[in-house]
Amino acid sequence: MRKLVNSLLLVCIAIFATAYASATEILDLSSIYHLSGILEMGDEQMNIEEKATSGDASSKTSEAIEGPDQSVKSLATDLERTEPAQQTMPEPGSTDSNSNSDSNFNPNSNLNPNINLNPNLNPDPNPDQNLNLNLNPNPPVSDQPAAGPEKSASIQKMTKYLDLLILVNKTNSLPADFVPPDLVKPDIPFCFQEDLPKKYLRREAAQAISRLIRQAQRENIHIYGVSAYRSYQTQKDIFTRKARELGEKEANRLSAYPGQSEHQTGLAIDLTSSRVGFKLTQNFGSTPEGRWLSQNAADFGFIIRYPAGKEHITGYSYEPWHLRYVGVEAAQVIADKKITLEEYLRDYPSPNW
């Protein structure tokens, strides 16, 4: 009977302690266990016989005691699960070396973004007025420095040298290092088999001479190439040899000084035929091949560069074999007016000449 009373008292104490813990958010189970121990000490004074007779009741009472105690423990666990854990803000710059889960912790992640976290910064009531924007109305076009005068002059010279209307004569020379960048071999027959530089022309001129030769062949006119592109050094060797044979003055009537030859432009080609033994001679002009060229070359963009009776303008004697590419438009004007390239550029100035 006494055990039953003690058990009921223990239950009441547990209920009171639970209510108190709920009010103070603290549950001190050790006090409950201490009071339970005091009550159980009184049980040791009971009569052995009473224990024997009430063995079954004691067993049941023991179960009743453990039941409320276990309920208290379960209630305490539930309270710990439902109560929000109080977070402690880490100190700025501090890290928790023992926890990997906190390594990416952002202390400001749940804060109001409008709060000024820096006490030394005062919020600007008019933030739009202090925006430092780059509103330069004339921003730089390029980060690269502008081309210097030397580079600009070099570009201008190259543009001039590549002009289809380039004027090369005794007063207008090409530099020794000039080589056209688009030299190709035309699809025409030459009077020699070797693959030499003098078989090459600038691309546009090569395509035009190929069309010219094919058309001549259709009309049973057979023309052969002799010499097209010629480097500065090659022209120097040719002129030196002629000067030794004929003297410098006479050589300059028939041949150009190095740098003054149209062959270096890649736009000129010497042609011949079997009727003159594949030679370069003024007699070529009176052959069917020579006459055909004089009448049809302009349709393909070529002119007879050194016509008869114009030596005082061109500086060179008549060369019916020497064709120069200037484009169809200019060639037809020159042919129709029977003028030279010098006269054409005088009457129809080119931006580069």
Side-chain angles (χ1 to χ4, degrees):
M1 184 65 181
R2 185 177 179 180
K3 271 188 170 289
L4 180 60
V5 172
N6 288 340
S7 297
L8 293 175
L9 181 60
L10 183 60
V11 169
C12 292
I13 293 172
I15 294 172
F16 176 79
T18 301
Y20 180 78
S22 176
T24 59
E25 299 182 354
I26 300 174
L27 183 63
D28 189 0
L29 297 178
S30 62
S31 298
I32 299 175
Y33 296 145
H34 179 67
L35 180 59
S36 177
I38 294 175
L39 294 175
E40 290 177 355
M41 288 177 62
D43 293 340
E44 295 177 359
Q45 304 299 326
M46 295 178 63
N47 193 302
I48 299 175
E49 295 176 352
E50 185 179 358
K51 289 182 179 180
T53 58
S54 60
D56 295 337
S58 176
S59 176
K60 295 178 181 181
T61 303
S62 177
E63 294 176 1
I65 293 173
E66 293 176 0
D69 186 60
Q70 187 66 28
S71 298
V72 172
K73 292 182 180 180
S74 176
L75 179 60
T77 302
D78 293 337
L79 289 172
E80 291 176 355
R81 290 175 179 174
T82 57
E83 282 296 317
Q86 184 176 1
Q87 295 181 355
T88 302
M89 190 70 68
E91 292 295 329
S94 64
T95 57
D96 186 359
S97 59
N98 297 322
S99 175
N100 294 329
S101 62
D102 292 338
S103 59
N104 295 323
F105 177 74
N106 182 1
N108 299 326
S109 60
N110 296 322
L111 298 180
N112 188 334
N114 296 321
I115 295 177
N116 183 11
L117 298 180
N118 190 338
N120 297 321
L121 294 178
N122 295 323
D124 189 350
N126 297 310
D128 293 340
Q129 297 179 1
N130 296 327
L131 291 177
N132 185 19
L133 299 178
N134 181 14
L135 300 179
N136 185 357
N138 298 311
V141 176
S142 173
D143 295 334
Q144 298 297 328
E150 294 183 359
K151 186 174 182 180
S152 298
S154 177
I155 294 174
Q156 290 177 358
K157 286 183 179 180
M158 181 57 68
T159 302
K160 178 179 179 179
Y161 299 148
L162 294 178
D163 192 333
L164 293 179
L165 294 175
I166 182 173
L167 181 62
V168 178
N169 54 23
K170 294 183 178 181
T171 58
N172 295 279
S173 302
L174 290 170
D177 59 351
F178 173 73
V179 177
D182 57 344
L183 292 172
V184 296
K185 184 166 62 174
D187 184 19
I188 65 171
F190 281 85
C191 61
F192 58 92
Q193 297 298 323
E194 297 85 358
D195 186 12
L196 301 177
K198 62 181 181 178
K199 276 189 174 181
Y200 289 73
L201 283 170
R202 287 188 57 187
R203 185 180 302 277
E204 186 173 339
Q207 294 171 347
I209 197 64
S210 298
R211 292 193 297 268
L212 182 150
I213 297 298
R214 283 197 297 269
Q215 182 59 36
Q217 290 173 344
R218 293 188 189 102
E219 299 180 28
N220 202 29
I221 299 295
H222 301 284
I223 302 173
Y224 298 83
V226 177
S227 179
Y229 169 72
R230 195 179 298 161
S231 68
Y232 181 95
Q233 184 60 48
T234 300
Q235 185 64 33
K236 182 178 179 180
D237 296 340
I238 292 173
F239 184 83
T240 300
R241 184 175 67 251
K242 286 187 177 293
R244 289 174 181 169
E245 296 174 356
L246 306 172
E248 184 174 345
K249 185 177 179 180
E250 183 63 21
N252 196 219
R253 285 185 64 251
L254 304 174
S255 181
Y257 280 107
Q260 296 179 0
S261 171
E262 284 199 327
H263 288 278
Q264 191 179 346
T265 67
L267 298 172
I269 184 170
D270 294 337
L271 300 174
T272 190
S273 70
S274 60
R275 295 179 190 273
V276 293
F278 302 106
K279 295 179 180 179
L280 299 178
T281 173
Q282 290 183 348
N283 294 333
F284 176 71
S286 59
T287 65
E289 294 79 15
R291 289 193 297 268
W292 189 94
L293 284 175
S294 178
Q295 296 169 2
N296 297 280
D299 294 337
F300 299 90
F302 289 92
I303 61 172
I304 305 300
R305 178 65 179 92
Y306 307 117
K310 297 288 187 175
E311 292 86 347
H312 63 288
I313 298 175
T314 64
Y316 297 98
S317 59
Y318 171 49
E319 293 185 3
W321 63 82
H322 183 103
L323 267 63
R324 159 67 193 276
Y325 184 77
V326 294
V328 174
E329 182 180 354
Q332 289 179 340
V333 173
I334 292 172
D336 291 343
K337 294 191 174 185
K338 295 180 171 52
I339 58 177
T340 63
L341 180 58
E342 285 84 357
E343 293 170 304
Y344 176 83
L345 293 175
R346 179 196 64 195
D347 298 337
Y348 305 92
S350 170
N352 295 320
W353 300 97

mmCIF file of all heavy atoms in Angstrom, residues 22-50:
data_model
loop_
_atom_site.group_PDB
_atom_site.id
_atom_site.type_symbol
_atom_site.label_atom_id
_atom_site.label_comp_id
_atom_site.label_asym_id
_atom_site.label_seq_id
_atom_site.Cartn_x
_atom_site.Cartn_y
_atom_site.Cartn_z
ATOM 1 N N SER A 22 7.792 23.599 -18.477
ATOM 2 C CA SER A 22 7.169 24.250 -19.636
ATOM 3 C C SER A 22 7.126 25.745 -19.450
ATOM 4 O O SER A 22 7.250 26.508 -20.404
ATOM 5 C CB SER A 22 5.754 23.694 -19.818
ATOM 6 O OG SER A 22 5.095 24.357 -20.871
ATOM 7 N N ALA A 23 6.962 26.197 -18.196
ATOM 8 C CA ALA A 23 6.906 27.639 -17.937
ATOM 9 C C ALA A 23 8.275 28.261 -18.000
ATOM 10 O O ALA A 23 8.442 29.402 -18.437
ATOM 11 C CB ALA A 23 6.254 27.899 -16.561
ATOM 12 N N THR A 24 9.297 27.560 -17.573
ATOM 13 C CA THR A 24 10.648 28.147 -17.501
ATOM 14 C C THR A 24 11.536 27.675 -18.621
ATOM 15 O O THR A 24 12.657 28.144 -18.763
ATOM 16 C CB THR A 24 11.303 27.773 -16.153
ATOM 17 O OG1 THR A 24 11.363 26.346 -16.066
ATOM 18 C CG2 THR A 24 10.487 28.323 -15.002
ATOM 19 N N GLU A 25 11.053 26.770 -19.504
ATOM 20 C CA GLU A 25 11.798 26.193 -20.626
ATOM 21 C C GLU A 25 13.047 25.459 -20.143
ATOM 22 O O GLU A 25 14.012 25.307 -20.845
ATOM 23 C CB GLU A 25 12.188 27.268 -21.654
ATOM 24 C CG GLU A 25 11.025 27.946 -22.269
ATOM 25 C CD GLU A 25 11.453 28.955 -23.313
ATOM 26 O OE1 GLU A 25 12.671 29.173 -23.436
ATOM 27 O OE2 GLU A 25 10.565 29.476 -24.023
ATOM 28 N N ILE A 26 13.007 24.988 -18.874
ATOM 29 C CA ILE A 26 14.122 24.214 -18.324
ATOM 30 C C ILE A 26 13.523 22.990 -17.644
ATOM 31 O O ILE A 26 12.621 23.120 -16.827
ATOM 32 C CB ILE A 26 14.951 25.022 -17.312
ATOM 33 C CG1 ILE A 26 15.524 26.247 -18.013
ATOM 34 C CG2 ILE A 26 16.035 24.186 -16.688
ATOM 35 C CD1 ILE A 26 16.231 27.185 -17.049
ATOM 36 N N LEU A 27 14.026 21.849 -17.937
ATOM 37 C CA LEU A 27 13.522 20.608 -17.341
ATOM 38 C C LEU A 27 14.684 19.914 -16.676
ATOM 39 O O LEU A 27 15.563 19.408 -17.334
ATOM 40 C CB LEU A 27 12.901 19.724 -18.435
ATOM 41 C CG LEU A 27 12.286 18.429 -17.931
ATOM 42 C CD1 LEU A 27 11.110 18.754 -16.993
ATOM 43 C CD2 LEU A 27 11.759 17.584 -19.100
ATOM 44 N N ASP A 28 14.658 19.951 -15.297
ATOM 45 C CA ASP A 28 15.751 19.364 -14.517
ATOM 46 C C ASP A 28 15.303 18.007 -14.020
ATOM 47 O O ASP A 28 14.676 17.896 -12.953
ATOM 48 C CB ASP A 28 16.114 20.287 -13.354
ATOM 49 C CG ASP A 28 17.381 19.840 -12.646
ATOM 50 O OD1 ASP A 28 17.975 18.820 -13.069
ATOM 51 O OD2 ASP A 28 17.764 20.505 -11.670
ATOM 52 N N LEU A 29 15.553 16.980 -14.780
ATOM 53 C CA LEU A 29 15.114 15.632 -14.404
ATOM 54 C C LEU A 29 15.897 15.081 -13.217
ATOM 55 O O LEU A 29 15.429 14.174 -12.546
ATOM 56 C CB LEU A 29 15.277 14.711 -15.613
ATOM 57 C CG LEU A 29 14.404 15.067 -16.843
ATOM 58 C CD1 LEU A 29 14.708 14.087 -17.981
ATOM 59 C CD2 LEU A 29 12.944 15.023 -16.461
ATOM 60 N N SER A 30 17.075 15.605 -12.977
ATOM 61 C CA SER A 30 17.884 15.069 -11.863
ATOM 62 C C SER A 30 17.191 15.290 -10.534
ATOM 63 O O SER A 30 17.279 14.473 -9.623
ATOM 64 C CB SER A 30 19.260 15.735 -11.852
ATOM 65 O OG SER A 30 19.119 17.127 -11.651
ATOM 66 N N SER A 31 16.443 16.395 -10.374
ATOM 67 C CA SER A 31 15.710 16.646 -9.106
ATOM 68 C C SER A 31 14.638 15.597 -8.909
ATOM 69 O O SER A 31 14.374 15.145 -7.785
ATOM 70 C CB SER A 31 15.080 18.037 -9.143
ATOM 71 O OG SER A 31 16.093 19.006 -9.249
ATOM 72 N N ILE A 32 13.958 15.225 -10.006
ATOM 73 C CA ILE A 32 12.912 14.199 -9.902
ATOM 74 C C ILE A 32 13.514 12.876 -9.467
ATOM 75 O O ILE A 32 13.003 12.193 -8.580
ATOM 76 C CB ILE A 32 12.200 14.062 -11.250
ATOM 77 C CG1 ILE A 32 11.551 15.398 -11.632
ATOM 78 C CG2 ILE A 32 11.157 12.961 -11.202
ATOM 79 C CD1 ILE A 32 10.929 15.397 -13.015
ATOM 80 N N TYR A 33 14.642 12.531 -10.092
ATOM 81 C CA TYR A 33 15.275 11.252 -9.727
ATOM 82 C C TYR A 33 15.768 11.280 -8.282
ATOM 83 O O TYR A 33 15.722 10.281 -7.581
ATOM 84 C CB TYR A 33 16.428 10.968 -10.683
ATOM 85 C CG TYR A 33 16.005 10.765 -12.101
ATOM 86 C CD1 TYR A 33 16.796 11.203 -13.152
ATOM 87 C CD2 TYR A 33 14.786 10.134 -12.381
ATOM 88 C CE1 TYR A 33 16.392 11.033 -14.450
ATOM 89 C CE2 TYR A 33 14.394 9.964 -13.682
ATOM 90 C CZ TYR A 33 15.191 10.402 -14.717
ATOM 91 O OH TYR A 33 14.807 10.238 -16.024
ATOM 92 N N HIS A 34 16.216 12.431 -7.810
ATOM 93 C CA HIS A 34 16.692 12.529 -6.404
ATOM 94 C C HIS A 34 15.539 12.310 -5.446
ATOM 95 O O HIS A 34 15.662 11.576 -4.454
ATOM 96 C CB HIS A 34 17.322 13.900 -6.177
ATOM 97 C CG HIS A 34 17.818 14.104 -4.754
ATOM 98 N ND1 HIS A 34 18.869 13.403 -4.209
ATOM 99 C CD2 HIS A 34 17.341 14.918 -3.779
ATOM 100 C CE1 HIS A 34 19.062 13.782 -2.965
ATOM 101 N NE2 HIS A 34 18.138 14.728 -2.659
ATOM 102 N N LEU A 35 14.373 12.915 -5.693
ATOM 103 C CA LEU A 35 13.213 12.730 -4.819
ATOM 104 C C LEU A 35 12.738 11.300 -4.863
ATOM 105 O O LEU A 35 12.324 10.734 -3.847
ATOM 106 C CB LEU A 35 12.094 13.683 -5.281
ATOM 107 C CG LEU A 35 10.809 13.623 -4.470
ATOM 108 C CD1 LEU A 35 11.079 13.962 -2.996
ATOM 109 C CD2 LEU A 35 9.771 14.598 -5.040
ATOM 110 N N SER A 36 12.799 10.689 -6.023
ATOM 111 C CA SER A 36 12.398 9.289 -6.144
ATOM 112 C C SER A 36 13.274 8.406 -5.289
ATOM 113 O O SER A 36 12.822 7.441 -4.677
ATOM 114 C CB SER A 36 12.453 8.873 -7.611
ATOM 115 O OG SER A 36 12.137 7.515 -7.740
ATOM 116 N N GLY A 37 14.571 8.748 -5.206
ATOM 117 C CA GLY A 37 15.488 7.943 -4.379
ATOM 118 C C GLY A 37 15.159 8.031 -2.919
ATOM 119 O O GLY A 37 15.269 7.068 -2.174
ATOM 120 N N ILE A 38 14.759 9.233 -2.452
ATOM 121 C CA ILE A 38 14.401 9.392 -1.027
ATOM 122 C C ILE A 38 13.199 8.521 -0.673
ATOM 123 O O ILE A 38 13.146 7.856 0.359
ATOM 124 C CB ILE A 38 14.114 10.865 -0.725
ATOM 125 C CG1 ILE A 38 15.405 11.660 -0.900
ATOM 126 C CG2 ILE A 38 13.557 11.046 0.670
ATOM 127 C CD1 ILE A 38 15.207 13.164 -0.739
ATOM 128 N N LEU A 39 12.209 8.503 -1.545
ATOM 129 C CA LEU A 39 11.007 7.713 -1.276
ATOM 130 C C LEU A 39 11.323 6.234 -1.243
ATOM 131 O O LEU A 39 10.765 5.472 -0.451
ATOM 132 C CB LEU A 39 9.956 8.019 -2.339
ATOM 133 C CG LEU A 39 9.402 9.459 -2.309
ATOM 134 C CD1 LEU A 39 8.455 9.660 -3.506
ATOM 135 C CD2 LEU A 39 8.668 9.738 -1.007
ATOM 136 N N GLU A 40 12.210 5.813 -2.151
ATOM 137 C CA GLU A 40 12.531 4.381 -2.209
ATOM 138 C C GLU A 40 13.333 3.930 -1.001
ATOM 139 O O GLU A 40 13.306 2.770 -0.624
ATOM 140 C CB GLU A 40 13.296 4.087 -3.495
ATOM 141 C CG GLU A 40 12.420 4.207 -4.742
ATOM 142 C CD GLU A 40 13.210 3.985 -5.996
ATOM 143 O OE1 GLU A 40 14.451 3.831 -5.894
ATOM 144 O OE2 GLU A 40 12.600 3.958 -7.095
ATOM 145 N N MET A 41 14.089 4.893 -0.372
ATOM 146 C CA MET A 41 14.841 4.512 0.842
ATOM 147 C C MET A 41 13.895 4.103 1.970
ATOM 148 O O MET A 41 14.193 3.245 2.791
ATOM 149 C CB MET A 41 15.719 5.681 1.293
ATOM 150 C CG MET A 41 16.915 5.925 0.374
ATOM 151 S SD MET A 41 17.881 7.361 0.873
ATOM 152 C CE MET A 41 18.389 6.811 2.498
ATOM 153 N N GLY A 42 12.699 4.730 2.008
ATOM 154 C CA GLY A 42 11.732 4.346 3.055
ATOM 155 C C GLY A 42 11.206 2.949 2.855
ATOM 156 O O GLY A 42 10.758 2.315 3.808
ATOM 157 N N ASP A 43 11.243 2.490 1.648
ATOM 158 C CA ASP A 43 10.739 1.152 1.365
ATOM 159 C C ASP A 43 11.588 0.075 2.000
ATOM 160 O O ASP A 43 11.128 -1.055 2.233
ATOM 161 C CB ASP A 43 10.694 0.921 -0.143
ATOM 162 C CG ASP A 43 9.650 1.816 -0.796
ATOM 163 O OD1 ASP A 43 8.761 2.282 -0.063
ATOM 164 O OD2 ASP A 43 9.745 2.030 -2.039
ATOM 165 N N GLU A 44 12.849 0.398 2.277
ATOM 166 C CA GLU A 44 13.727 -0.625 2.857
ATOM 167 C C GLU A 44 13.328 -0.972 4.300
ATOM 168 O O GLU A 44 13.749 -1.989 4.848
ATOM 169 C CB GLU A 44 15.175 -0.116 2.803
ATOM 170 C CG GLU A 44 15.693 0.066 1.389
ATOM 171 C CD GLU A 44 17.108 0.646 1.385
ATOM 172 O OE1 GLU A 44 17.646 0.913 2.489
ATOM 173 O OE2 GLU A 44 17.663 0.818 0.260
ATOM 174 N N GLN A 45 12.511 -0.111 4.948
ATOM 175 C CA GLN A 45 12.107 -0.369 6.324
ATOM 176 C C GLN A 45 10.869 -1.267 6.414
ATOM 177 O O GLN A 45 10.374 -1.571 7.489
ATOM 178 C CB GLN A 45 11.792 0.974 7.005
ATOM 179 C CG GLN A 45 12.952 1.962 6.960
ATOM 180 C CD GLN A 45 14.193 1.446 7.684
ATOM 181 O OE1 GLN A 45 14.049 0.718 8.720
ATOM 182 N NE2 GLN A 45 15.366 1.777 7.202
ATOM 183 N N MET A 46 10.332 -1.584 5.257
ATOM 184 C CA MET A 46 9.127 -2.428 5.260
ATOM 185 C C MET A 46 9.436 -3.843 5.737
ATOM 186 O O MET A 46 10.557 -4.313 5.575
ATOM 187 C CB MET A 46 8.519 -2.444 3.851
ATOM 188 C CG MET A 46 7.994 -1.092 3.381
ATOM 189 S SD MET A 46 7.333 -1.184 1.688
ATOM 190 C CE MET A 46 5.982 -2.348 1.996
ATOM 191 N N ASN A 47 8.427 -4.468 6.228
ATOM 192 C CA ASN A 47 8.543 -5.855 6.714
ATOM 193 C C ASN A 47 8.757 -6.805 5.564
ATOM 194 O O ASN A 47 8.144 -6.647 4.501
ATOM 195 C CB ASN A 47 7.241 -6.261 7.459
ATOM 196 C CG ASN A 47 7.429 -7.545 8.254
ATOM 197 O OD1 ASN A 47 7.777 -8.584 7.708
ATOM 198 N ND2 ASN A 47 7.171 -7.468 9.546
ATOM 199 N N ILE A 48 9.676 -7.734 5.763
ATOM 200 C CA ILE A 48 9.993 -8.706 4.720
ATOM 201 C C ILE A 48 8.766 -9.493 4.339
ATOM 202 O O ILE A 48 8.525 -9.810 3.184
ATOM 203 C CB ILE A 48 11.132 -9.637 5.178
ATOM 204 C CG1 ILE A 48 12.392 -8.809 5.443
ATOM 205 C CG2 ILE A 48 11.382 -10.744 4.179
ATOM 206 C CD1 ILE A 48 13.536 -9.618 6.021
ATOM 207 N N GLU A 49 7.936 -9.731 5.323
ATOM 208 C CA GLU A 49 6.762 -10.523 5.061
ATOM 209 C C GLU A 49 5.782 -9.754 4.173
ATOM 210 O O GLU A 49 5.093 -10.326 3.332
ATOM 211 C CB GLU A 49 6.073 -10.889 6.390
ATOM 212 C CG GLU A 49 6.948 -11.795 7.248
ATOM 213 C CD GLU A 49 6.311 -12.078 8.608
ATOM 214 O OE1 GLU A 49 5.273 -11.433 8.898
ATOM 215 O OE2 GLU A 49 6.841 -12.919 9.328
ATOM 216 N N GLU A 50 5.719 -8.414 4.489
ATOM 217 C CA GLU A 50 4.812 -7.605 3.678
ATOM 218 C C GLU A 50 5.255 -7.593 2.219
ATOM 219 O O GLU A 50 4.452 -7.580 1.306
ATOM 220 C CB GLU A 50 4.755 -6.186 4.233
ATOM 221 C CG GLU A 50 3.739 -5.310 3.531
ATOM 222 C CD GLU A 50 3.697 -3.923 4.126
ATOM 223 O OE1 GLU A 50 4.423 -3.681 5.100
ATOM 224 O OE2 GLU A 50 2.954 -3.096 3.586
#
